[in-house]
Amino acid sequence: MNRVEREAAVRRILEQTPPQVPAGLYDAAVRRGARMLRRRTLARRALWLLLCAAAVAFTVWALTVRPWAEPPSQTTPPVTDW
């Protein structure tokens, strides 16, 4: 099929009347889209809540354990009675 035949085929397709859409299709698509938006919003909020909870838990853990502080040495006993 050369370029002229392709263009003629496209013109024939575009000149045809579009097929009839079922009556309830638009309403069903709107309901489904709204449901998808609600689910997506709920999932996004749940992930943000989970992220904030993880940040708070990490902060509380870090403040109580203090992993950046060097642990006391256990190799020599403390010096007493000088």
Side-chain angles (χ1 to χ4, degrees):
M1 181 180 277
N2 61 17
R3 181 177 176 189
V4 176
E5 291 173 351
R6 281 189 304 222
E7 288 178 0
V10 168
R11 282 193 186 96
R12 276 194 310 272
I13 291 171
L14 290 176
E15 289 173 355
Q16 294 175 353
T17 58
Q20 292 294 324
V21 177
L25 185 64
Y26 175 76
D27 295 331
V30 168
R31 280 194 310 270
R32 185 174 182 201
R35 188 178 333 132
M36 287 173 58
L37 272 175
R38 281 193 308 270
R39 286 180 181 173
R40 193 173 294 157
T41 303
L42 181 64
R44 189 178 301 124
R45 286 182 183 169
L47 286 175
W48 274 111
L49 181 65
L50 182 65
L51 179 68
C52 290
V56 168
F58 175 77
T59 304
V60 168
W61 171 80
L63 289 175
T64 55
V65 175
R66 295 184 186 260
W68 58 86
E70 189 174 324
S73 176
Q74 300 293 329
T75 57
T76 57
V79 178
T80 55
D81 294 337
W82 269 82

